[in-house]
Amino acid sequence: MKTAIKILLIVLALAGIGYAVYSFFDKTEKGETPPPPQSDFEKEIQAEADRGIKDRDYARASATFAELCDRIDTEAAVTLADGSRNLSPDEVRRARQIVFYAYVPIFTAHADACFARTAWSDGEVDALGTTAGRLQEMQVAEAGSPTTKDLARIRQTAADYRAAWQAARSGAGCRSVTAVRSAVNRANSFKRKPLSNCTALVNALNAVPARAKSALATYVASRCNRVSSGYASYASYADFYAAQEQCLSLINEYEKAFGGNAALTSARRRLQNAETLALDQLP
C-alpha cells in the first residue's frame, strides 16, 4: 500500500513538472513571456526593451526595436582576442527573443488598427507587409503559433491589398464576355474583411463590372463599325456577309450576357444598312 502511494506521488510530481515546462514554452511561443535574461548583455537588452518598446507607441517601439536588433547583430559579430565570439549563439537567440516578443504585440495591434480604418495608405500597408516579413524571417516564433499566424495574416493582407488594387484597375482591356466575367469575379473575390474596410478600394472594385462591360461594348461596336463603313472594300458579298455575321454574333453574345447597349444597337443598325448596299454593289 505504501509503495503504491509513493508511486502515485512520484507520478503526480512528474506531471506537475511536465505541465510547468509546457506552460512556460506555450507562453513563450505566444509571446506572453520570453525566456528570462541570463547574461549581463541579455539583461541590458531586456531593460532597453522595457524602456523603449513595452507600452510605448508604435513609432517609438519600432525605432527602439530596430536599434536593439542592430545592437545585437553588432555585438554578435565581435570577435575577442582569443578568437571566440563576444556573444554565444544562445545569448544571441535569447536577446532576439526578448526584443521580438516585446515588439510583436505592439506591431500586431498597430497593423490591426490600420486595417480597421476606412482609409488606407498604400505606403503604410506596404511597410506593414515588409515588417511582418522581416519578423517572420527572424524565425523566433514557433511554426503554427498564434504569433506566426498573426504575422502571416498581416503580410498576406498587405499582398492582397496590392492585388486588389490591380484587380480594381482591370477591365479596361476586356475583349470578350469571358474576360469581363473573369475581371468581375476577381474584383469580387477581394470584397472581404479587412480589405472591405477600405472605402476607396471597395468603390474601385464596385466599378469594375461597368468598366469591363463598357470596354467590351466599345470594342465590339468599333469592330462592327469598321465592317459596315468598309463594306465596299470586300471582294464579294459573301466575304462581307461572313464578316457581318461575326460582328452580329459578338453583339448577340454581349446582349445575352449583359443586356442591351446603345452603342451596339447603333452598330447593328449600321451593319444592316451596309448589308443592303453590299448586296446591290458587290458581286
Side-chain angles (χ1 to χ4, degrees), residues 241-281:
Y241 183 79
Q244 180 197 42
E245 283 298 297
Q246 290 178 350
C247 289
L248 292 175
S249 177
L250 292 175
I251 294 175
N252 291 337
E253 183 183 18
Y254 180 97
E255 292 177 342
K256 182 178 179 181
F258 310 120
N261 177 277
L264 296 184
T265 299
S266 297
R268 184 191 295 274
R269 187 165 50 249
R270 291 192 184 96
L271 285 171
Q272 292 169 343
N273 293 336
E275 181 182 16
T276 302
L277 296 173
L279 188 60
D280 290 340
Q281 299 177 26

Side-chain angles (χ1 to χ4, degrees), residues 53 72 80 116 130 152-153 177 212 260:
I53 298 179
I72 293 169
L80 302 179
T130 299
R153 171 178 55 80
V177 169

Side-chain angles (χ1 to χ4, degrees), residues 35 39 47 57 73 95 102-103 181 273 276-277 281:
S39 67
D57 61 67
D73 290 342
Y103 179 67
R181 287 174 173 159
N273 293 336
T276 302
L277 296 173
Q281 299 177 26

